[in-house]
Amino acid sequence: KAGVTQTPRYLIKTRGQQVTLSCSPISGHRSVSWYQQTPGQGLQFLFEYFSETQRNKGNFPGRFSGRQFSNSRSEMNVSTLELGDSALYLCASSSRTATNEKLFFGSGTQLSVL
Amino acid sequence: GENVEQHPSTLSVQEGDSAVIKCTYSDSASNYFPWYKQELGKGPQLIIDIRSNVGEKKDQRIAVTLNKTAKHFSLHITETQPEDSAVYFCAASRPTGGGNKLTFGTGTQLKVEL
């Protein structure tokens, strides 16, 4: 069974640009979550989608948004990039058959903002 | 919101020794506690988890204990091997009306020396 797939693996952008990251969950998983990982702040929750609906949201500005498609694939968008947005963005999927089900992470997209 | 503290930040052990990583959480409603292992260039990998109705869980060389009263949980790795070297994260989650939202500790860099 294939794991969580994130594309692209690496991305370099400049301040003010926008970026879209993609995530394909494990087959059969309907929940997709996004996390930001930085050396200073660690792993922080961005948002979670289930059946195309955002169910939970972290404490990030509105520049961070996401969506989920009918096939459970998800995209995350960051607009007006800032230097502080440089981070590893991780996607995790879950079968969500019960509350607090196991999360399986992808390898992430390393975003560098210059 | 939930706050998870993790100690130590770095841990160096000799091959064959045991390693213990400790975490405390603040939200008494948290009921799910996973542990993740992250190797360089990869996403976090779930290695073991425990729910609040269980005090201890073991999987081969890895065990997790939970003390709900004191609000702390620990990861125990016995007979450490060089391949155990990685960053380990604890996390906590509470029911969120059907969603998944993990709050992570700051990580422990484990180094197993030959």
Side-chain angles (χ1 to χ4, degrees), chain B residues 29-109:
Chain B
S30 289
N31 62 357
Y32 176 64
F33 307 91
W35 286 87
Y36 285 86
K37 174 184 180 182
Q38 188 173 25
E39 297 174 316
L40 202 60
K42 297 183 179 180
Q45 176 192 3
L46 179 66
I47 56 172
I48 195 168
D49 57 3
I50 192 168
R51 299 182 190 277
S52 59
N53 58 347
V54 176
E56 184 173 359
K57 185 177 179 180
K58 190 174 182 180
D59 183 4
Q60 299 182 349
R61 296 186 297 109
I62 294 174
V64 58
T65 58
L66 170 66
N67 184 327
K68 285 176 57 181
T69 303
K71 289 191 281 191
H72 66 70
F73 55 113
S74 302
L75 177 70
H76 304 253
I77 305 175
T78 59
E79 301 172 19
T80 54
Q81 301 167 4
E83 51 265 38
D84 294 329
S85 296
V87 180
Y88 290 81
F89 292 94
C90 63
S93 177
R94 61 171 292 174
T96 56
N100 260 315
K101 178 182 175 182
L102 293 178
T103 300
F104 283 87
T106 49
T108 296
Q109 175 74 61

Side-chain angles (χ1 to χ4, degrees), chain A residues 9 31 33 35 37 43-45 48 55-58 88 90 94 96 98-108, chain B residues 31-32 36 38 41-46 49 51 57 89 93-106:
Chain A
R9 187 70 179 89
S31 167
S33 302
Y35 288 79
Q37 185 174 25
L43 282 150
Q44 291 190 296
F45 174 78
E48 181 202 8
R55 187 155 50 184
N56 281 296
K57 190 176 187 304
L88 179 67
L90 293 159
S94 169
R96 287 296 293 119
T99 303
N100 293 330
E101 191 50 77
K102 301 177 191 295
L103 290 185
F104 297 91
F105 284 86
S107 294
Chain B
N31 62 357
Y32 176 64
Y36 285 86
Q38 188 173 25
K42 297 183 179 180
Q45 176 192 3
L46 179 66
D49 57 3
R51 299 182 190 277
K57 185 177 179 180
F89 292 94
S93 177
R94 61 171 292 174
T96 56
N100 260 315
K101 178 182 175 182
L102 293 178
T103 300
F104 283 87
T106 49

